[in-house]
Amino acid sequence: MNNGRILPVSEQSSALFIGVDSFTSLENLPAVRQNLSTLGSLFSNEVWNLGPTRCEELLNPSSMRVVDEAIFRHARAASDTLLLYYAGHGVLDLQGRLHLAMPDSDPQAVHSTAFPYDWMRMGLAASSARRCIVVLDCCFSARAMGLQSAGASMAHLAEVDGTYVLAAAAENAFALAPPGEAYTAFTGALVSVLSNGIAAAPELLDLDTVFRGVQSSLRRQGHPEPQCLSRNHVGGMAFARNAAYAAGEEEYSIQEAIEEVHRGRSLSETIQVVADQAVRGLGYQVAAVNLVMADGDLTVAAISGSKAAEKTVAGRVGPREAWERILATGSAWGNLVFVSHSDEQLLNSVPQWYSAESGISFEKGVWHPMDRLFAPLYASDDQLQGVLSVDRPRNGRRPGAWGCEALQMYASQAAIAISNARLRSNMQRAMVRLEREQQTLRNNEESFRQAFEYAPSGMAVAEMGGNHHGRLLRINDALCRLLGRPAAAMRRYSLADLVHPDDFGTLLRTSAEGGRAKLRLARRDGSYVWVSLRNSVVADTTDGPRYLLTHVDELYS
């Protein structure tokens, strides 16, 4: 199961801490050394228990290549969670793109002496880790969130799906390294949250909660505010145990369970949380979500509370007809459907688990191991999205009026959360498709530009129709050289303005599509040159033919 409420798997995760505290052309940052030492120790041991082989500290790297190789080494090693951290100076090149300063970085030559953040992003894209976390403690670090330039889009990060970026400063702001402090301001707040925890927070702190804790700490001290950006709702993943949590102190309510399912997540994580919160907030020991798939059948998409049940039914499919029969013929408890152990044959065609317990009681009101309670999950348009199945109430009894009302309320909100998650998922896929289509268009335009500009023969693009029919819009270098005219001057003419008067009729008789002609064109010095002219039409996808592409080759006698 894809469970966002468990910590990263140590054997499948990796962390790289990069830091630079000594510079030749920039101010030294002595606190960075302690940043790396403390974070490396925390993640090697109590936070993720990575050990020395999966947790590396890279202080004052000797070259950008060393950094690049380390990033890709850890990216390849991680299949569950990858963490990349940098502390030092953030510097910008002439285009405003973020670079991570190295010991010998020169602010006057950023592009050649500092490590481009885009290289780090390429390492993330190459990793098979399902969750990637980037922590940047440097100036301008929020530019890593896709804001590298004014025209950039937040969808730029879609190509590095499942990424969470935690930045010490906004895209135009400086990070703070207070003189004499053991840590930089941002990393000091992060270390405090990881070491001391957050009061009144759950046992496991997700990334969003850690961020809010760091943000609150920095605000209280009047320091620059950090920034964060999550792709595919990685912010809901469990990141560290809460050192301030005491077992038994937390009273969990139905309202908290509902709030939890509405936290923005991917579809798979939302479904898992729906099952988890039914166990945690509603008092059942086992819960499962059966999700309606594209073909109409229902698959067991999430299980919580029982490893045995998960092993037995996870991923199995039940026919839509069988589920509709259960919902139609089971005992209606309000909007819920109860199937007693005496009617268990109703469940034969859908995936089920069985709790073979000793001491089965047939006393009235006592929950039997073969009893099942189902909560249909309907979208706002009354379309069935799935069925929430619960089993084994903790008190051992069938739920009363309040228990049924709570489950109905929870199921209604869970259906909304799943519907919203599906909508977000569809929108994200649409955004990715749009970005790919736009990239393909940009690539095609660039290919045409290069073919046009560097063609050995003359080429021109002219307007078709309208008030400026025939006006030259683009002229390549070869045609400019042939006629001895600069491109700026050529754009004031049409080919009709340049043709020899005796050849004007020939030009008019030459068709736009596939037309060929031999005629004379005027050079800048007043002479004429014989050329072979070939026309083709460049069609606009929406408005039909709009541009005339003309190839011009000199004829030699």
Side-chain angles (χ1 to χ4, degrees):
M1 291 289 103
N2 182 9
N3 191 344
R5 308 308 301 169
I6 61 174
L7 291 171
V9 180
S10 301
E11 297 78 14
Q12 300 171 17
S13 300
S14 193
L16 172 62
F17 297 94
I18 308 163
V20 181
D21 70 347
S22 180
F23 300 86
T24 57
S25 302
L26 295 164
E27 182 182 355
N28 290 337
L29 299 171
V32 168
R33 184 178 297 264
Q34 189 63 40
N35 285 5
L36 261 63
S37 175
T38 300
L39 288 173
S41 176
L42 284 170
F43 281 85
S44 290
N45 299 292
E46 57 262 39
V47 176
W48 284 3
N49 196 29
L50 293 176
T53 59
R54 289 186 167 271
C55 184
E56 180 182 0
E57 300 167 33
L58 185 57
L59 180 66
N60 297 325
S62 57
S63 68
M64 289 190 284
R65 179 174 180 175
V66 169
V67 176
D68 192 55
E69 289 176 348
I71 288 173
F72 275 83
R73 184 169 61 251
H74 284 269
R76 287 190 292 268
S79 58
D80 183 74
T81 305
L82 172 66
L83 170 63
L84 299 178
Y85 168 96
Y86 170 82
H89 285 294
V91 289
L92 306 179
D93 65 13
L94 295 177
Q95 284 73 44
R97 293 179 296 225
L98 176 65
H99 289 59
L100 311 179
M102 297 290 102
D104 60 349
S105 290
D106 182 354
Q108 303 304 316
V110 170
H111 66 284
S112 60
T113 62
F115 190 89
Y117 173 75
D118 277 349
W119 291 11
M120 181 177 285
R121 194 162 50 79
M122 284 189 283
L124 299 174
S127 177
S128 60
R130 63 192 183 98
R131 299 175 292 197
C132 298
I133 305 164
V134 178
V135 181
L136 298 176
D137 190 352
C138 63
C139 302
F140 316 118
S141 48
R143 297 203 174 211
M145 298 176 181
L147 302 175
Q148 297 275 38
S149 65
S153 166
M154 295 297 274
H156 186 57
L157 268 179
E159 63 192 61
V160 191
D161 231 354
T163 300
Y164 192 96
V165 180
L166 186 57
E171 62 267 24
N172 295 311
F174 294 88
L176 191 63
E181 293 290 337
Y183 307 101
T184 58
F186 171 79
T187 296
L190 178 61
V191 166
S192 176
V193 168
L194 295 176
S195 301
N196 304 322
I198 300 175
E203 180 182 7
L204 299 181
L205 299 176
D206 60 30
L207 277 164
D208 287 338
T209 303
V210 169
F211 169 74
R212 288 192 293 270
V214 171
Q215 183 184 51
S216 176
S217 175
L218 293 173
R219 276 179 178 170
R220 287 196 303 270
Q221 300 173 66
H223 292 334
E225 285 211 12
Q227 309 289 316
C228 73
L229 178 68
S230 175
R231 299 297 303 179
N232 269 13
H233 314 289
V234 180
M237 69 164 278
F239 181 69
R241 292 195 180 279
N242 183 7
Y245 175 82
E249 287 186 358
E250 187 180 33
E251 291 187 4
Y252 208 78
S253 68
I254 179 64
Q255 183 59 38
E256 288 173 298
I258 290 174
E259 289 175 359
E260 187 66 22
V261 300
H262 279 295
R263 295 185 189 276
R265 293 180 178 87
S266 67
L267 177 60
S268 58
E269 287 180 330
T270 297
I271 294 166
Q272 185 61 54
V273 171
V274 167
D276 291 343
Q277 297 306 312
V279 170
R280 188 179 186 189
L282 297 176
Y284 295 91
Q285 296 183 59
V286 186
V289 176
N290 302 270
L291 188 70
V292 175
M293 305 304 289
D295 60 3
D297 290 339
L298 282 75
T299 184
V300 182
I303 294 258
S304 185
S306 171
K307 291 294 183 183
E310 182 176 334
K311 185 177 180 180
T312 302
V313 301
R316 289 181 56 192
V317 175
R320 176 68 172 259
E321 297 79 7
W323 277 107
E324 289 179 343
R325 185 166 56 253
I326 290 170
L327 299 179
T329 59
S331 299
W333 289 7
N335 295 329
L336 308 178
V337 175
F338 177 73
V339 176
S340 169
H341 61 277
S342 58
D343 297 320
E344 63 177 295
Q345 70 278 0
L346 268 177
L347 308 178
N348 289 342
S349 299
V350 298
Q352 287 298 319
W353 62 91
Y354 296 97
S355 306
E357 299 177 341
S358 59
I360 294 176
S361 171
F362 293 94
E363 180 185 342
K364 185 177 180 180
V366 174
W367 187 272
H368 188 280
M370 305 297 250
D371 289 345
R372 289 294 181 274
L373 184 57
F374 301 105
L377 304 174
Y378 288 104
S380 57
D381 57 0
D382 292 329
Q383 292 296 312
L384 183 68
Q385 293 194 99
V387 177
L388 174 62
S389 174
V390 294
D391 185 22
R392 295 169 55 191
R394 285 196 177 88
N395 62 8
R397 303 191 64 81
R398 294 177 180 178
W402 161 243
C404 290
E405 183 178 343
L407 181 56
Q408 290 178 91
M409 183 191 312
Y410 178 77
S412 174
Q413 293 299 313
I416 294 172
I418 292 173
S419 179
N420 290 341
R422 267 187 161 145
L423 178 61
R424 287 193 300 269
S425 178
N426 292 337
M427 290 176 64
Q428 287 167 357
R429 285 196 293 269
M431 288 176 64
V432 171
R433 284 197 301 271
L434 177 61
E435 179 65 21
R436 288 173 179 166
E437 290 170 0
Q438 290 175 340
Q439 184 61 49
T440 299
L441 179 60
R442 288 192 292 268
N443 292 341
N444 291 340
E445 289 176 345
E446 177 61 16
S447 298
F448 173 80
R449 186 192 68 79
Q450 292 194 18
F452 182 87
E453 294 293 344
Y454 301 115
S457 60
M459 295 181 70
V461 175
E463 189 171 339
M464 291 187 67
N467 297 329
H468 302 286
H469 179 75
R471 180 170 61 90
L472 297 175
L473 301 175
R474 297 177 66 176
I475 309 94
N476 74 348
D477 189 59
L479 184 56
C480 290
R481 290 197 308 271
L482 178 64
L483 300 182
R485 300 173 184 270
M490 290 279 284
R491 282 192 286 269
R492 295 198 294 267
Y493 299 105
S494 67
L495 280 179
D497 299 324
L498 301 173
V499 73
H500 191 283
D502 294 344
D503 298 330
F504 188 74
T506 302
L507 179 65
L508 292 179
R509 289 191 298 273
T510 305
S511 66
E513 183 58 56
R516 295 172 176 265
K518 293 180 181 180
L519 44 74
R520 288 161 288 180
L521 295 178
R523 287 186 165 129
R524 185 179 184 181
D525 61 8
S527 64
Y528 287 88
V529 58
W530 279 96
V531 299
S532 171
L533 180 147
R534 289 173 291 121
N535 287 335
S536 58
V537 173
V538 178
D540 183 89
T541 56
T542 55
D543 298 330
R546 289 189 59 193
Y547 304 109
L548 182 68
L549 177 63
T550 302
H551 297 255
V552 180
D553 292 298
E554 183 177 6
L555 294 176
Y556 298 94
S557 55

